[in-house]
């Protein structure tokens, strides 16, 4: 069955870089777009960006040049890296599988707190 | 960016009551998708492409709408339906979500 699981640091200091790994099973990363969505107290659910089945990426301009999404198909993993973290980036980060224009599977999410 | 406005923000319904949640888009979209999120869990796909029920969703749920106005209806409220419901559009980049309607049991 389809499963997605995020692993990440939990606590990150302001100005530092956030790195989260999403490990998937039950399907191939070369067949689906994978995206990152976050849920923050300030802005609710926000689409951050995706990596296409072919490996190219698209990002929400809201995150400008802070965000990078990549993958390792041999390990069935998708990666999020976001730098210059601020306290407003505190929230739950989800990896999600895209089907057409909607999300058909979500990971359990990883809570990230940005604080010194 | 298309802004989705959901109403009401919060509501309470009694078991057996009919419930309608609304999502309005700032520009016309082709479809609307809906997710259910229970406290402490990740969102789940609930209704996709405006009116198609996701796998396992009870048929007391339905979705409708077009253009800038969409709705999710529960024919007869049940205890397990208490949750927050979010709408989402994918017609225009970036994909955007509404702020959610929290549905409580009265």
């Amino acid at each position: 069955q389809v499963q997605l699981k995020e692993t990440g640091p939990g606590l990150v200091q302001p100005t530092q870089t956030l790195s989260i790994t999403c490990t998937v099973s039950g399907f191939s990363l070369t067949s689906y777009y994978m995206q990152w969505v976050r849920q923050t107290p300030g802005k609710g659910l926000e689409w951050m960006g995706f990596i296409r089945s072919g490996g190219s990426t698209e990002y929400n301009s809201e995150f400008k040049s802070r965000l990078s999404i990549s993958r390792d198909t041999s390990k069935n993993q998708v990666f999020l890296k976001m730098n210059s973290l601020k306290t407003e980036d505190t929230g739950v980060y989800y990896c999600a599988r895209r089907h057409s224009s909607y999300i058909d599977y979500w990971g359990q999410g990883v809570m990230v707190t940005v604080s010194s | 960016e298309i802004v989705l406005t959901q109403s009401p923000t919060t509501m309470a319904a009694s078991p057996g009551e009919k419930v309608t949640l609304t999502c309005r888009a700032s520009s016309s979209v082709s479809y609307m998708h809906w997710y259910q999120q229970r406290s402490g869990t990740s969102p789940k796909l609930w209704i996709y492409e405006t009116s198609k029920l996701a796998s396992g969703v009870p048929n007391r749920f339905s979705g409708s709408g077009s253009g800038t106005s969409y709705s999710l209806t529960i024919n007869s409220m049940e205890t397990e339906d208490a949750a927050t419901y979010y709408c989402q559009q994918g017609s225009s980049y970036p994909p955007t979500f509404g702020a959610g309607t929290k549905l409580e049991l009265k």
Side-chain angles (χ1 to χ4, degrees):
Chain A
Q1 70 277 28
V2 172
Q3 291 187 320
L4 299 80
K5 185 174 182 181
E6 305 89 343
T7 50
L11 178 66
V12 181
Q13 293 196 336
T15 76
Q16 297 301 301
T17 297
L18 171 65
S19 296
I20 303 174
T21 297
C22 173
T23 303
V24 309
S25 59
F27 67 99
S28 171
L29 292 177
T30 59
S31 297
Y32 289 89
Y33 289 26
M34 292 297 298
Q35 49 196 13
W36 290 93
V37 176
R38 74 177 187 177
Q39 188 167 28
T40 63
K43 292 198 171 183
L45 289 164
E46 280 184 287
W47 174 77
M48 300 181 73
F50 61 58
I51 183 164
R52 295 181 175 89
S53 51
S56 61
T57 53
E58 189 91 32
Y59 301 117
N60 187 333
S61 61
E62 177 74 18
F63 301 99
K64 297 182 181 176
S65 57
R66 294 202 292 150
L67 180 63
S68 173
I69 297 173
S70 59
R71 69 182 186 182
D72 183 336
T73 56
S74 68
K75 293 183 178 177
N76 294 321
Q77 292 179 327
V78 183
F79 309 105
L80 175 149
K81 274 190 169 51
M82 189 163 72
N83 58 34
S84 304
L85 284 199
K86 313 163 200 171
T87 54
E88 310 90 90
D89 294 317
T90 292
V92 181
Y93 287 73
Y94 296 102
C95 103
R97 191 179 85 167
R98 181 181 140 149
H99 183 98
S100 183
S101 64
Y102 56 88
I103 294 171
D104 61 352
Y105 287 94
W106 299 68
Q108 63 190 25
V110 59
M111 178 67 205
V112 173
T113 301
V114 182
S115 174
S116 53
Chain B
E1 168 174 318
I2 293 180
V3 176
L4 301 180
T5 303
Q6 290 189 243
S7 60
T9 304
T10 308
M11 70 171 294
S14 302
E17 187 176 342
K18 184 174 183 177
V19 173
T20 298
L21 312 182
T22 297
C23 179
R24 288 202 162 78
S26 59
S27 298
S28 182
V29 298
S30 303
Y31 293 113
M32 193 63 71
H33 315 299
W34 295 85
Y35 303 89
Q36 181 198 67
Q37 185 176 35
R38 292 199 177 103
S39 181
T41 68
S42 53
K44 281 186 188 173
L45 179 65
W46 213 244
I47 295 173
Y48 63 99
E49 294 174 357
T50 301
S51 59
K52 299 174 183 174
L53 301 186
S55 177
V57 174
N59 62 12
R60 61 180 176 274
F61 284 86
S62 63
S64 64
S66 65
T68 61
S69 184
Y70 293 83
S71 61
L72 177 158
T73 298
I74 307 172
N75 205 39
S76 176
M77 175 77 178
E78 296 203 7
T79 306
E80 65 187 30
D81 301 336
T84 300
Y85 293 85
Y86 295 94
C87 56
Q88 178 246 318
Q89 66 80 25
S91 300
S92 168
Y93 276 88
T96 51
F97 295 85
T101 291
K102 185 174 183 180
L103 176 60
E104 298 171 329
L105 191 66
K106 196 185 291 181

